[in-house]
Amino acid sequence: MTEPLLSIRDLTVRVGRADTAPAILDGVSLDVAPGETLGLVGESGSGKSTLGTAVLRLLPPLLDAGTTGRIVWRGRDLLGLPRRAMRRIRGGEVSMILQDPMSSLNPVQTIGAQLREALRRGGRGDLHAAAVAALVEVNIPSPAERLRGYPHQMSGGMRQRVVSAIGLAQDPHLLICDEPTTALDATIQYQFLELLKTLRASHGMAMLFITHDFGVVSRICDRVAVMYAGRIVETGPVREIFARPRHPYTRALLASVPSTDHAPDRLPVIEGQPPTVGNRPAGCPFHPRCAHATDRCRTVPPETVVGPSHLVRCWHPQETPL
Amino acid sequence: MRNLSFNFALGLLALFVLTALVGPYLVQHDPLQGSLRARLDPPAWAEGGSADHLLGTDRLGRDVLSRIVEGARLSLAVCAVVIGVAGTVGTAIGTLSGYVGGWLDRILMRLVDLALSLPVILLALLLAAVSEPSFTNIILVISFVLWSQYARMARGETLRVKNEDFVDLARTSGLGHARIIFRHILPNIAPSLIVVATLQVGVVIILESSLSFLGVGVPPPNPSWGAMVADGRSYVVTAWWVSLFPGIAILLVVMAVNIIGDALTDRLNPGLRRNDG
Amino acid sequence: MARLLASRLIEAVAALLLMSVLIFFLSRIIGDPVALLLADGATEGDRQRLIAELGLDRPLLQQYLTFIGNALQGDFGRSVAAGNRDAFEMVMSRVPASLGLAGVALAFTLAVGIVLGVIAAVTRGTPFDVLMRLIALLGQSIPSFWLGIILIYLFSVHLGWLPTSGFGGWQYYVLPALTLGLFTLAAVTRLVRASMLDALASDYVKLARIKGLAEATVVLRHALSNSLIPVVTFMGTFFATMITSAVVVETVFAWPGIGRLAYESILSRDFPVIQVVVLVITAFFILANLVVDLLYLAIDPRMRSRG
């Protein structure tokens, strides 16, 4: 197996430095190989966005101070990196697209100014030409005009394409996508995913794709990690997970996706609400909502290998195909 | 931190009200009666001061402490009456405007906008100039400049409450307009109006003392804090205490009210200043 | 945009007219200018003569129209108190001193307030932030007439660094400008701190950081540029507050501006001068708000493409 690009080990993010502070992420480990797209799936509040932001060390000070574990990027632990070195990695090696295109562009600056700012750090010579080329790459019509315009003059889908142009301006090795399609209309969503695929191929980059939608995962990801209440409960290749989901939570999520071929009525919709940070149950965090829970589930289940690169954290992994 | 300063402010405000209510019965000296032998006596701890006049005396030999205590009563009275008058008028106009709507609303709100855009002190000075200084006049003057803030708040809140289910219910069950306003609307918009009133205590005190400082407020010899500061102005080199202490009194009360007003605003509209904590 | 401006202009003129009505009728109905103008021991004959001289025996509406007609030609009558000088000229000669003081105070307030607000937001929760908020609270609670006296005592009398009062070189500006500006300074600091905190938590600032920009660039270019918009929208209010407090501050520091003239003319019941002063100050008020609207259009591109 090739050396992973990004290797996260035992990442814990607490609200503050104290050991007793509530944890948003609780001992998360994952790898992203060069060129690979890993999907990170979970409900809101599962900590998946926190994970993406933690990689760039852009969490609010309180959470950054409460971050422990290791985030190894091409052999270097980002958690121990001086601020200046971390800044060189941002944008240049690891970049990110945010969820809401309406708020992620600065309203009082032109598109051109915001794009050139990123290109300049990428060391491009002719900034204007590079900016036009960057907009062309993300399929924005009449790019020279758009560069002089402001964000409010564009639609959400167009803005999100500008945001990805900014994200790719410095040719990163890894692009973290934090629910980039959630705020878009269904048809625009599809177009945008296709664009991301093209960009991924032309830039040869890896992606960490954060989403709550298994339908999106099936379109763009190679592997998937399912998060629940700050923990990864199951990881594996997308095909494998779709064919043989083992964790009851994964199965419930998959069952609620109408776009997959599984009949949605086979499994009941998950009862109850996911636990909030600070109120997470001991042991397997899913057990209060799980139909298969036993007393044993009150202790933390170990990670078990259940197939080729297919891992699950469950005392009662399910065998039957969905 | 926030709780500490809030409690501190509440304490100060309580002290102010208490002083205004019972203070005048406790002080030894007549605030209006001076003694020629005791003119410009320094405070007790300064050189030449005596325990008889804790905060010294003014140019007519009147006890500064007694005058500050009496001034607290005056300030409180002005605040209470002004807020009563401006609050009633403003709330009535605002509620009516919001409840009735239509052209009445448009006209009244233009009036409010205009009133809000006028230079406050200047208007007060003007009104004070065309009428003789008196307690009644100062009340009318300040009320005249402040009613618009209640009107704006009352209108906005009435519009918000007007379409709530319980008002609709009251309307369909045949309740008259007056009863709907008094039973259902006013009780619901009261909290916001109370916040406006709290924040205005500071404004009223500053306005009243500014006008009295300029000589168009509460007529002498009444010990308005602003007039006391003005009194001591010419003696600031030799007798700093005459101006200093009444000014501190104003500062403390206004600060206390501002802290409480901010905290109340936070509590009522958590979204409004969510990042100020 | 042109329509927006036109409607603002109409509003401004309407406000000015209404103010003139207010002043006119207040001084005619509530006040009795004749009684105030007559010397003690004047006879009924004197009284009638003065009434006729001032045209007070004509109907109110006619009086008002005459007043407005004259006013449009810059004729507001002559000062009663100050040796029959032309009231309009008298007021206009005082304008530069007031504008100078308000300008200095506003510039100082904005410069210092923005810097303090930014630092307070960036150092949120630290003792510096707490100190800034304490100072802001103090600044919003100190009565300006008292602050002026205290400053004079400290810096002029006690330390002897600055002149006590009057008009002259830059030294004369320091204390009045500080007194005039402190309230607004506190307001600007609070406003900038709050809007900076909003901006720093925003997605576009996060994206700026994702680009790998230096923290100073992120704070100054991205967060601050957005935080200045609310400051601009409040500038009109700030300027208005300053013009209003100028009455008190100019009186304390014996500053030869319109604020002190307003005070003096009101004390001497010099109605022709009062009318001009109030109208001129209201005009400044309205003008300031118009300028702010224009500034707002210039700074926020979202506003430009509207209206």
Side-chain angles (χ1 to χ4, degrees):
Chain A
M1 190 181 161
T2 50
E3 189 70 15
L5 202 57
L6 173 72
S7 174
I8 294 175
R9 287 291 167 273
D10 207 22
L11 183 67
T12 299
V13 174
R14 290 181 192 282
V15 189
R17 219 178 273 274
D19 284 347
T20 50
I24 299 174
L25 289 180
D26 194 355
V28 168
S29 300
L30 58 80
D31 289 327
V32 180
E36 175 192 47
T37 297
L38 173 69
L40 199 56
V41 187
E43 288 165 289
S44 50
S46 61
K48 55 193 196 302
S49 289
T50 304
L51 180 75
T53 308
V55 173
L56 281 168
R57 298 288 309 280
L58 283 178
L59 290 174
L62 191 68
L63 301 187
D64 192 53
T67 304
T68 54
R70 280 188 301 148
I71 302 175
V72 182
W73 170 255
R74 300 165 92 198
R76 284 199 290 177
D77 186 357
L78 299 184
L79 288 181
L81 223 52
R83 218 182 275 189
R84 188 176 274 272
M86 190 60 229
R87 206 151 59 65
R88 273 197 291 273
I89 287 180
R90 272 181 218 139
E93 299 186 28
V94 184
S95 195
M96 189 165 176
I97 305 179
L98 302 175
Q99 177 174 351
D100 185 3
M102 303 317 256
S103 65
S104 44
L105 290 169
N106 189 334
V108 301
Q109 285 185 7
T110 60
I111 301 294
Q114 299 183 55
L115 188 53
R116 283 193 297 271
E117 209 171 40
L119 290 165
R120 190 175 297 122
R121 280 189 50 80
R124 302 298 168 87
D126 184 348
L127 285 180
H128 179 72
V132 170
L135 288 193
V136 169
E137 193 186 15
V138 295
N139 301 334
I140 287 188
S142 47
E145 265 165 59
R146 285 299 176 190
L147 285 176
R148 285 191 298 273
Y150 287 91
H152 71 271
Q153 295 160 332
M154 302 178 126
S155 68
M158 216 186 267
R159 286 193 216 187
Q160 196 62 309
R161 278 181 273 155
V162 170
V163 172
S164 20
I166 290 174
L168 294 175
Q170 301 170 53
D171 228 347
H173 302 284
L174 173 69
L175 183 67
I176 301 171
C177 302
D178 187 0
E179 306 223 30
T181 58
T182 308
L184 304 179
D185 294 340
T187 48
I188 310 284
Q189 243 184 50
Y190 177 77
Q191 283 176 14
F192 188 73
L193 281 180
E194 290 306 306
L195 174 68
L196 276 181
K197 278 198 223 170
T198 319
L199 294 172
R200 176 177 63 186
S202 58
H203 287 257
M205 62 188 176
M207 282 180 14
L208 180 62
F209 203 100
I210 298 165
T211 178
H212 63 270
D213 184 351
F214 259 115
V216 172
V217 168
S218 68
R219 284 229 174 82
I220 198 162
C221 298
D222 305 315
R223 279 194 314 128
V224 61
V226 181
M227 281 195 83
Y228 184 78
R231 292 198 182 141
I232 290 181
V233 294
E234 185 165 12
T235 46
V238 169
R239 266 166 198 283
E240 167 81 6
I241 297 282
F242 271 75
R244 278 175 294 278
R246 307 298 291 271
H247 198 283
Y249 177 64
T250 313
R251 297 166 72 89
L253 269 187
L254 272 173
S256 58
V257 178
S259 59
T260 57
D261 297 331
H262 307 288
D265 54 358
R266 193 107 52 93
L267 275 171
V269 181
I270 324 169
E271 299 273 337
Q273 292 289 316
T276 51
V277 173
N279 288 319
R280 288 174 178 166
C284 171
F286 188 59
H287 81 257
R289 297 168 79 188
C290 182
H292 310 278
T294 58
D295 275 349
R296 212 176 172 191
C297 299
R298 292 175 198 281
T299 55
V300 181
E303 207 164 46
T304 354
V305 180
V306 287
S309 18
H310 187 173
L311 299 163
V312 69
R313 258 182 198 277
C314 181
W315 290 114
H316 310 292
Q318 303 297 301
E319 295 291 340
T320 51
L322 258 188
Chain B
M1 168 67 202
R2 174 134 285 186
N3 249 334
L4 190 80
S5 61
F6 184 71
N7 290 338
F8 172 72
L10 267 187
L12 264 180
L13 198 65
L15 185 71
F16 165 61
V17 175
L18 208 69
T19 305
L21 293 180
V22 302
Y25 304 107
L26 301 178
V27 292
Q28 319 160 359
H29 299 277
D30 184 339
L32 304 182
Q33 201 60 52
S35 143
L36 289 182
R37 269 171 297 139
R39 279 191 296 184
L40 296 179
D41 274 359
W45 63 89
E47 208 182 307
S50 72
D52 194 29
H53 299 290
L54 275 178
L55 298 182
T57 60
D58 68 3
R59 78 194 147 93
L60 297 177
R62 295 173 298 196
D63 183 52
V64 171
L65 178 63
S66 309
R67 286 177 68 76
I68 289 182
V69 169
E70 186 67 24
R73 165 170 287 196
L74 195 78
S75 285
L76 185 69
V78 172
C79 282
V81 181
V82 163
I83 288 172
V85 172
T88 310
V89 173
T91 305
I93 292 181
T95 312
L96 197 71
S97 185
Y99 188 80
V100 176
W103 59 268
L104 183 73
D105 182 39
R106 277 200 294 280
I107 291 178
L108 287 177
M109 280 308 113
R110 264 291 131 88
L111 215 62
V112 167
D113 278 344
L114 194 74
L116 281 172
S117 74
L118 295 180
V120 174
I121 284 214
L122 209 64
L123 207 59
L125 270 172
L126 188 70
L127 289 172
V130 295
S131 56
E132 287 303 310
S134 73
F135 186 78
T136 319
N137 272 338
I138 188 101
I139 299 284
L140 288 178
V141 163
I142 301 179
S143 305
F144 184 78
V145 268
L146 293 183
W147 66 272
S148 48
Q149 298 188 10
Y150 294 94
R152 174 171 281 188
M153 177 61 90
R155 175 185 177 261
E157 288 289 285
T158 304
L159 285 181
R160 182 179 63 79
V161 174
K162 191 167 97 174
N163 296 319
E164 299 267 344
D165 288 346
F166 60 86
V167 176
D168 281 343
L169 198 70
R171 205 174 288 136
T172 48
S173 63
L175 225 57
H177 292 306
R179 299 198 80 176
I180 291 179
I181 290 179
F182 280 101
R183 282 271 186 79
H184 296 283
I185 292 185
L186 284 180
N188 277 292
I189 68 176
S192 314
L193 292 171
I194 289 170
V195 172
V196 175
T198 315
L199 285 168
Q200 277 202 349
V201 173
V203 179
V204 173
I205 290 180
I206 294 262
L207 258 181
E208 182 273 316
S209 57
S210 296
L211 291 174
S212 295
F213 175 82
L214 291 174
V216 292
V218 182
N222 291 305
S224 158
W225 288 344
M228 292 174 73
V229 174
D231 263 355
R233 209 179 128 201
S234 341
Y235 308 94
V236 72
V237 181
T238 47
W240 45 268
W241 54 89
V242 183
S243 280
L244 183 74
F245 296 120
I248 291 180
I250 301 173
L251 172 63
L252 287 179
V253 175
V254 174
M255 200 162 74
V257 173
N258 282 347
I259 293 174
I260 293 169
D262 280 355
L264 286 182
T265 313
D266 273 356
R267 219 159 286 180
L268 277 181
N269 307 318
L272 212 67
R273 293 179 45 221
R274 85 197 107 93
N275 265 324
D276 219 29
Chain C
M1 195 174 135
R3 262 198 9 226
L4 191 78
L5 270 180
S7 80
R8 287 291 150 84
L9 250 127
I10 293 170
E11 272 176 44
V13 173
L16 213 55
L17 269 176
L18 259 158
M19 192 66 186
S20 74
V21 174
L22 205 64
I23 298 164
F24 180 82
F25 287 95
L26 269 181
S27 53
R28 294 296 188 283
I29 296 168
I30 304 181
D32 180 359
V34 179
L36 291 166
L37 288 177
L38 279 178
D40 288 337
T43 61
E44 182 57 28
D46 292 338
R47 191 180 152 78
Q48 292 306 329
R49 211 172 23 255
L50 193 62
I51 287 178
E53 196 178 304
L54 294 174
L56 296 176
D57 48 356
R58 287 176 293 158
L60 269 178
L61 185 69
Q62 200 188 340
Q63 284 186 43
Y64 176 71
L65 289 178
T66 316
F67 166 70
I68 285 293
N70 289 340
L72 285 176
Q73 297 161 30
D75 176 14
F76 287 86
R78 300 193 163 268
S79 162
V80 183
N84 220 20
R85 283 180 61 194
D86 182 80
F88 187 65
E89 264 177 41
M90 216 172 132
V91 173
M92 292 321 276
S93 71
R94 297 283 200 111
V95 167
S98 279
L99 279 187
L101 182 59
V104 169
L106 193 65
F108 148 79
T109 292
L110 287 178
V112 179
I114 290 171
V115 170
L116 292 183
V118 169
I119 298 178
V122 173
T123 61
R124 180 190 192 177
T126 64
F128 182 85
D129 180 28
V130 174
L131 185 73
M132 279 305 100
R133 287 162 64 195
L134 205 71
I135 290 175
L137 179 69
L138 218 62
Q140 294 202 301
S141 310
I142 291 187
S144 56
F145 57 88
W146 182 72
L147 176 68
I149 293 173
I150 298 299
L151 288 179
I152 290 175
Y153 178 72
L154 266 181
F155 292 97
S156 309
V157 177
H158 204 71
L159 296 169
W161 291 352
L162 295 161
T164 50
S165 61
F167 186 60
W170 65 268
Q171 306 95 319
Y172 287 88
Y173 280 85
V174 178
L175 295 184
L178 194 65
T179 310
L180 195 54
L182 191 69
F183 181 88
T184 310
L185 176 67
V188 173
T189 306
R190 283 177 65 151
L191 195 62
V192 170
R193 177 182 181 274
S195 54
M196 273 297 282
L197 286 177
D198 274 344
L200 286 174
S202 73
D203 278 353
Y204 58 83
V205 161
K206 189 174 177 184
L207 188 72
R209 288 190 172 129
I210 289 171
K211 290 178 195 170
L213 299 179
E215 190 60 20
T217 315
V218 172
V219 169
L220 296 180
R221 196 187 296 164
H222 289 278
L224 185 59
S225 62
N226 278 280
S227 307
L228 290 184
I229 293 176
V231 177
V232 171
T233 57
F234 272 95
M235 284 256 284
T237 318
F238 293 154
F239 191 67
T241 318
M242 284 195 175
I243 298 177
T244 308
S245 349
V247 178
V248 170
V249 174
E250 290 183 1
T251 304
V252 171
F253 287 95
W255 192 265
I258 39 175
R260 200 173 112 217
L261 183 62
Y263 170 65
E264 289 167 353
S265 60
I266 281 168
L267 278 196
S268 58
R269 307 294 198 263
D270 194 346
F271 275 99
V273 179
I274 294 176
Q275 284 171 345
V276 190
V277 166
V278 175
L279 277 180
V280 166
I281 293 184
T282 311
F284 273 123
F285 238 71
I286 292 165
L287 200 67
N289 279 315
L290 249 148
V291 170
V292 165
D293 284 341
L294 287 177
L295 257 175
Y296 190 40
L297 285 174
I299 194 174
D300 193 340
R302 282 165 297 187
M303 291 299 295
R304 272 202 296 270
S305 50
R306 263 182 230 155

